[in-house]
Amino acid sequence: MRIAVCASEGAPYAKSGGLGDVMEALPAALSRIEGNEVALFLPFYNKIKSNAAYTTELVAQFRVQLGWRQQYAGVMKLTNRADKVQVYFIDNEYYFGGRTGAIYGDMDDGERFAFFSRACLDAMAVLGFIPDVIQCNDWQCAPIPVYLKALYHESFPNTRCMYTIHNIEYQGWANAAFFDDVLGLPWEYRNTLDMNNSVNVMKGAIETADLVTTVSETYARELMYPYYAHGLDGILANAAWKLTGITNGIDTNTFNPETDKALPAHYNAETFEEGKAKVKAALQEEVGLPVKPDVPLMVMVTRLAGHKGLDLLCYIARRLLWEEDCQLLILGTGEAQYETFFKELQEQFPEQVAAKITFNLGLAARIYAGGDIYLMPSKSEPCGLSQMNAMRYGTVPVVHATGGLKDTVPPCDENGEGGLGFTFQSYNADDFLAAIKRALALYNEQPENWKALIKKEMEMDFSWDVPAGRYMELFHHMCSW
Ligand code: GLC
């Protein structure tokens, strides 16, 4: 099957979050399936262009019609990728060159990604790469299914389109003029994109894609409710017949405690006791905490953003640190209020708290491995990847039972049996604290059961093989229509 994957970011080239990780692993997993030919389309950001590690070749140039504008697009083929995925970067200096270096956040993001979306389709047509399926992601690529239906039917008469939502908070809102001025779509699509007299490109994608997926089964159900759907619940409820959840995997080669170069010691499900202890000691030392093997180390690697549930942690942090002999280590950057809170917490509890307000992949790996308990109280979480990273490294998660957290961390009882971690149901700080205390009690009082839980987690298969198979099922399903 010929598959085109389109996204605004993809590791290792450009990544701002989980979407970037998925766009590294999913195309690769699909390309390992026999008979598949996979092309990945990404913007040619300046930092990709200027990175000598990537060699590219210009394979096509054309103009993209965006409303009244015609904008240059170059297609740069990556020539030195090791696996079978063919990567094409869409080049346009004005939209993706010389900007701040951040992937998002420009005033004209709407126009930048409308350009990218349309350029992907033009590129496929010019290259003669006519896919059976286009899989496209999040609001940035939401114009793709709309364009495909409205303007590209002749070039792609049999191509089906799957639209995948990684986060419904960002929908691609624009004022009504965007419809003619930038998208340049035929008038009969006005209603498809209209929401409250504005343009909402994600709504357009949901309505025009052949299938809509999101990144966990629970999140797919949650999206029918106003609490989670940020205004799109009605639209998604109408589209329920074509909405499916496929829980992400993680790249188990990159995230492997037996080989991860960032770790000072290596281990597997048999040898974790010694290995994790070594990493923990080195980690405590690295972040300036007292090196205490028996004190439970609670960790978090996260963007410091409200929906990650930091308000719950802020609310209970002092009580937890007073009541329990434990350590807390946070790595991440984000909203100023949280950065300040954790810095102050570290000042108040220097023996117990380390706040690393930075972005550091190596340290992140050492935290996944060296921690005992991984906290992830997200208010909502489409899938979440770091809880799986943590389990793969033998760190027990405490999570809010929502979205992908609910699907990947089944709750265990107070003996650590029957599940993989500790969960709480309602988004409430005291419930979160109670779940942490259950984890601490198991750690402190039942070391044998604690070890059995770690072993079970490390033996889980979080690889992409299963989800990639589910994507294939849906691709075949679409193509059978
Ligand atoms: C977004 C979601 C996260 C998910 C990731 C990859 O970042 O917020 O939950 O894991 O996309 O799908």
Side-chain angles (χ1 to χ4, degrees):
M1 182 175 277
R2 268 191 160 181
I3 304 161
V5 178
C6 304
S8 54
E9 57 178 276
Y13 317 107
K15 166 182 152 176
S16 80
L19 172 64
D21 290 313
V22 173
M23 288 302 119
E24 178 170 33
L26 173 62
L30 291 171
S31 78
R32 287 194 293 269
I33 296 172
E34 212 177 300
N36 281 351
E37 188 188 345
V38 181
L40 170 63
F41 293 82
L42 298 168
F44 202 33
Y45 298 111
N46 208 22
K47 66 173 172 196
I48 305 176
K49 197 182 280 193
S50 57
N51 188 332
Y54 310 129
T55 58
T56 56
E57 174 193 333
L58 177 69
V59 288
Q61 322 185 55
F62 46 83
R63 287 186 183 280
V64 178
Q65 189 79 39
L66 269 194
W68 51 267
R69 309 163 193 73
Q70 287 202 334
Q71 302 285 37
Y72 168 87
V75 182
M76 310 301 295
K77 178 174 174 175
L78 182 70
T79 52
N80 65 339
R81 184 159 161 138
D83 65 9
K84 278 171 47 198
V85 179
Q86 182 55 64
V87 180
Y88 294 108
F89 297 112
I90 302 292
D91 182 31
N92 174 297
E93 187 62 23
Y94 169 62
Y95 288 126
F96 304 123
R99 300 249 176 172
T100 53
I103 301 178
Y104 314 119
D106 279 329
M107 283 294 290
D108 58 346
D109 274 2
E111 183 180 322
R112 294 170 69 217
F113 292 106
F115 163 80
F116 173 69
S117 293
R118 193 155 183 183
C120 285
L121 291 167
D122 288 337
M124 291 174 214
V126 171
L127 296 170
F129 184 87
I130 308 300
D132 298 300
V133 166
I134 300 175
Q135 190 275 339
C136 57
N137 301 278
D138 271 352
W139 76 265
Q140 294 89 347
C141 292
I144 289 178
V146 187
Y147 279 132
L148 188 63
K149 273 236 157 66
L151 296 176
Y152 287 77
H153 188 69
E154 275 177 25
S155 308
F156 303 98
N158 300 314
T159 300
R160 300 284 184 262
C161 188
M162 172 189 284
Y163 179 62
T164 301
I165 300 171
H166 296 259
N167 192 340
I168 205 160
E169 256 183 90
Y170 309 103
Q171 301 176 357
W173 285 93
N175 64 29
F178 190 79
F179 183 85
D180 283 323
D181 182 41
V182 177
L183 294 172
L185 283 161
W187 64 269
E188 59 276 22
Y189 282 84
R190 195 170 276 279
N191 275 342
T192 310
L193 278 90
D194 176 82
M195 206 163 152
N196 308 331
N197 295 322
S198 298
V199 165
N200 181 320
V201 288
M202 187 178 265
K203 171 178 177 268
I206 294 167
E207 299 209 341
T208 50
D210 295 296
L211 284 179
V212 178
T213 67
T214 184
V215 290
S216 70
E217 281 154 49
T218 297
Y219 194 60
R221 281 192 300 276
E222 288 172 345
L223 286 181
M224 309 284 158
Y225 297 97
Y227 180 80
Y228 292 100
H230 294 265
L232 287 176
D233 40 296
I235 305 297
L236 282 159
N238 277 334
W241 62 274
K242 60 174 171 178
L243 174 65
T244 313
I246 303 177
T247 304
N248 290 329
I250 54 170
D251 188 330
T252 45
N253 292 324
T254 311
F255 290 101
N256 183 352
E258 266 188 301
T259 52
D260 192 328
K261 290 199 180 69
L263 303 185
H266 295 104
Y267 57 92
N268 57 31
E270 307 304 324
T271 60
F272 65 84
E273 230 178 301
E274 215 192 308
K276 266 182 90 69
K278 280 190 192 152
V279 183
K280 179 174 174 179
L283 176 64
Q284 286 170 322
E285 171 131 31
E286 177 178 359
V287 300
L289 285 168
V291 179
K292 292 185 176 172
D294 297 329
V295 172
L297 175 58
M298 295 180 296
V299 297
M300 252 180 130
V301 177
T302 183
R303 261 184 308 123
L304 297 177
H307 76 266
K308 292 292 177 186
L310 295 159
D311 48 345
L312 298 193
L313 184 59
C314 293
Y315 191 77
I316 56 150
R318 291 191 167 83
R319 216 186 329 158
L320 174 65
L321 293 161
W322 277 317
E323 289 176 7
E324 300 277 347
D325 187 13
C326 61
Q327 295 178 340
L328 177 64
L329 166 57
I330 309 257
L331 171 67
T333 59
E335 291 170 26
Q337 50 166 328
Y338 299 119
E339 295 192 352
T340 311
F341 177 88
F342 289 112
K343 278 189 219 152
E344 286 178 1
L345 199 68
Q346 172 178 320
E347 273 168 38
Q348 189 183 353
F349 297 88
E351 299 280 299
Q352 281 179 283
V353 176
K356 298 290 157 200
I357 309 299
T358 166
F359 179 81
N360 179 334
L361 283 174
L363 179 56
R366 290 187 286 284
I367 292 178
Y368 289 127
D372 295 302
I373 297 172
Y374 192 84
L375 305 180
M376 200 158 170
S378 311
K379 192 176 255 174
S380 66
E381 194 60 76
C383 178
L385 303 170
S386 49
Q387 79 280 12
M388 290 187 265
N389 298 343
M391 289 190 275
R392 171 123 174 102
Y393 285 69
T395 299
V396 175
V398 175
V399 306
H400 177 211
T402 185
L405 295 174
K406 186 168 176 179
D407 295 340
T408 55
V409 188
C412 52
D413 63 17
E414 63 279 14
N415 300 316
E417 279 158 14
L420 293 172
F422 293 86
T423 70
F424 59 103
Q425 298 294 323
S426 58
Y427 188 72
N428 172 299
D430 290 294
D431 290 356
F432 178 38
L433 181 60
I436 294 176
K437 289 202 169 203
R438 286 199 301 279
L440 290 172
L442 186 72
Y443 177 94
N444 289 324
E445 292 155 26
Q446 304 192 55
E448 286 312 311
N449 288 5
W450 184 261
K451 281 178 222 153
L453 180 57
I454 292 179
K455 185 166 158 58
K456 191 164 29 152
E457 281 169 10
M458 292 193 66
E459 283 169 349
M460 290 296 296
D461 178 10
F462 292 115
S463 75
W464 266 97
D465 296 341
V466 175
R470 296 220 45 219
Y471 276 89
M472 286 309 296
E473 274 167 36
L474 292 184
F475 291 167
H476 284 296
H477 182 51
M478 285 195 290
C479 291
S480 69
W481 294 342

